[in-house]
């Protein structure tokens, strides 16, 4: 291999739980409506994991699907990175349970940058490949958010769903992953938070009774505004530093939080919605899993051709955000 070593996507896959939860489920337990949820978020339904189904169950299925797409056997993986805020257990990591279910023995660890986790995990996986420290890396985004929802809080519980997506990275002569931009603003930590269950507020009878182990979002509007600003800003910065214009982007895949956020990001960038993936109607917000799920579904739908320029961008608690620019190198989906 000559020149700098790069990382490229060799395969992508995803996995969703079977149970479809339409907005009517929330109409039956809360003062809300299908119309309100669709108008404000674009969400029509989401998937919830079955009892006993864990993040690593979904992650394992997504990795297997990505490995199949790449024509690579599980034992060729030499690193597993899982972005998640809902690991099966605080320790070991979801990546470790995934490794065990794949029946292999490579290093495995989790990355937690909340809904922006996949951007951070993808940059990390690529850095391992570019430095020569790894050859074949599975980068996963996987969540079972249904276990951290307060089903009495209509402003949050209608937004989220469960699922997993994964890519397999391999070394390449030309860049697959052209570049990344990552950002974090800890000053806004409280506006999207699970308050209890960590060292600040360990689990107690009070924390459970107060539903403090669930996602809290005291100002959805502020989150909305920052999501638009930071995703559009990260994309612009990344395109500038990589020598591309928004007009060069074949497909924009924003974090699937809310269709209005995605429309606003695309508008700010001057990218027409025909060149953006909006999957939120059927999937909801699956946090760190949303981008690789949307990527996989777009690829299987034939929306990502060879050499396509694909721009991913994410935003979530932290606040944290990111953007990754890819030249698409994975094989065509099997027909
Ligand atoms: C949550 C969100 C959809 C709310 O939409 P909004 O237009 O900002 O609405 P507001 O929060 O101002 O609330 C407006 C009203 O709707 C109500 N409301 C909130 N959720 C509701 C629901 N599910 N059904 C019906 N009414 C609801 C509020 O209680 C409020 O009522 P009030 O005016 O009587 O107090 C929107 O702010 C959003 O999408 N924010 C980003 C959230 C997100 O993506 N977070 C994850 C990022 S990773």
């Amino acid at each position: 291999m000559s020149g700098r070593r790069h990382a490229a996507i060799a395969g992508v896959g995803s996995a969703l739980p079977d149970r479809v939860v339409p907005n009517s489920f929330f109409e039956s337990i809360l003062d809300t409506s299908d119309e309100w949820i669709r108008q404000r978020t674009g969400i029509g339904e989401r998937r919830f994991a079955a009892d006993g189904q864990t993040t690593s169950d979904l992650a394992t299925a997504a990795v297997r699907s990505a490995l199949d797409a790449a024509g690579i056997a599980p034992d060729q993986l030499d690193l597993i990175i899982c972005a998640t805020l809902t690991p099966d257990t605080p320790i070991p990591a979801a990546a470790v349970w995934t490794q065990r279910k794949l029946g292999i023995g490579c290093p495995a660890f989790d990355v937690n940058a909340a809904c922006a986790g996949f951007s951070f995990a993808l940059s990390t996986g690529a850095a391992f490949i570019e430095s020569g420290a790894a050859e074949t890396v599975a980068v996963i985004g996987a969540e079972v958010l249904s276990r951290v929802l307060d089903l009495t809080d209509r402003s949050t519980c209608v937004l989220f769903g469960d699922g997993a997506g994964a890519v397999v990275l391999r070394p390449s002569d030309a860049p697959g992953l052209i570049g990344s931009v990552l950002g974090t603003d800890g000053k806004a930590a409280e506006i999207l938070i699970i308050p209890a269950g960590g060292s600040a507020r360990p689990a107690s009878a009070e924390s459970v009774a107060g539903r403090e182990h669930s996602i809290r979002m005291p100002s959805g509007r502020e989150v909305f505004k920052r999501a638009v600003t930071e995703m559009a800003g990260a994309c612009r910065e990344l395109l500038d530093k990589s020598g591309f214009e928004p007009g060069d982007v074949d497909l924009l895949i924003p974090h699937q939080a809310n269709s209005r956020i995605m429309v606003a990001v695309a508008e700010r960038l001057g990218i027409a919605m025909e060149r953006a993936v909006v999957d939120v109607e059927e999937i909801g917000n699956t946090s760190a899993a949303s981008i690789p799920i949307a990527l996989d579904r777009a690829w299987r739908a034939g929306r990502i051709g060879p050499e396509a320029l694909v721009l991913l961008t994410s935003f979530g608690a932290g606040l944290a955000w990111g953007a990754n620019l890819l030249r698409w190198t994975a094989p065509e989906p099997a027909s």
Side-chain angles (χ1 to χ4, degrees):
M1 207 173 285
S2 64
R4 205 186 131 198
R5 180 173 143 121
H6 299 278
I9 291 182
V12 58
S14 64
L16 295 170
D18 292 335
R19 182 181 165 205
V20 176
V21 178
N23 290 341
S24 57
F25 166 78
F26 296 98
E27 288 178 322
S28 71
I29 59 167
L30 288 167
D31 178 15
T32 188
S33 66
D34 176 53
E35 191 193 357
W36 192 97
I37 299 169
R38 281 183 191 272
Q39 272 182 2
R40 301 292 178 110
T41 71
I43 298 169
E45 61 190 40
R46 71 290 288 143
R47 304 291 183 99
F48 277 2
D51 286 348
Q53 189 174 30
T54 64
T55 298
S56 68
D57 290 331
L58 297 169
T60 303
V63 173
R64 283 195 194 284
S65 163
L67 288 166
D68 278 352
I72 291 174
D75 63 7
Q76 282 180 260
L77 288 176
D78 53 12
L79 181 63
I80 299 173
I81 304 174
C82 184
T84 187
L85 67 95
T86 51
D88 305 33
T89 47
I91 54 166
V96 175
W97 293 112
T98 303
Q99 182 232 51
R100 170 156 131 170
K101 287 171 187 170
L102 289 169
I104 58 175
C106 64
F109 63 90
D110 285 359
V111 164
N112 181 350
C115 295
F118 190 74
S119 299
F120 285 71
L122 186 60
S123 312
T124 306
F128 269 86
I129 299 234
E130 287 159 4
S131 70
E135 292 294 316
T136 310
V137 180
V139 178
I140 310 163
E143 303 284 7
V144 178
L145 293 164
S146 56
R147 308 256 157 80
V148 293
L149 296 181
D150 176 353
L151 292 178
T152 67
D153 177 7
R154 66 179 182 174
S155 66
T156 56
C157 71
V158 302
L159 304 174
F160 298 98
D162 301 338
V167 297
V168 175
L169 297 179
R170 292 274 301 155
S172 68
D173 289 325
L177 184 67
I178 294 165
S180 301
V181 162
L182 303 174
T184 308
D185 175 11
K187 291 192 292 300
E190 288 83 4
I191 71 169
L192 193 48
I193 190 167
I194 297 177
S199 58
R201 185 132 172 85
S204 64
E206 293 83 54
S207 69
V208 172
R211 299 196 170 87
E212 294 176 53
H213 298 269
S214 306
I215 296 175
R216 296 259 175 98
M217 190 173 60
S219 175
R221 259 185 203 187
E222 183 61 21
V223 174
F224 189 110
K225 280 193 233 153
R226 289 293 299 269
V228 175
T229 308
E230 304 306 350
M231 284 197 279
C235 287
R236 230 183 259 123
E237 183 185 339
L238 178 55
L239 288 169
D240 277 356
K241 83 168 186 179
S242 310
F244 290 99
E245 304 279 339
D248 299 324
V249 174
D250 294 303
L251 204 62
L252 171 69
I253 307 186
H255 169 49
Q256 304 288 307
N258 177 315
S259 54
R260 291 188 298 139
I261 292 177
M262 291 185 257
V263 168
V265 170
E267 259 172 20
R268 282 202 182 188
L269 291 170
I271 293 178
M273 285 313 286
E274 298 79 63
R275 289 191 284 132
V277 175
V278 177
D279 227 5
V280 76
E281 185 181 1
E282 288 174 38
I283 310 290
N285 179 349
T286 56
S287 185
S290 89
I291 287 176
I293 291 172
L295 182 68
D296 182 50
R297 285 163 56 93
W299 176 69
R300 285 175 204 273
R303 291 189 70 186
I304 312 181
E307 301 294 313
L309 192 66
V310 181
L311 179 58
L312 315 177
T313 185
S314 64
F315 178 84
L319 300 173
W321 58 88
N324 312 97
L325 189 61
L326 302 167
R327 181 68 71 189
W328 192 255
T329 51
E332 293 292 284
S335 51

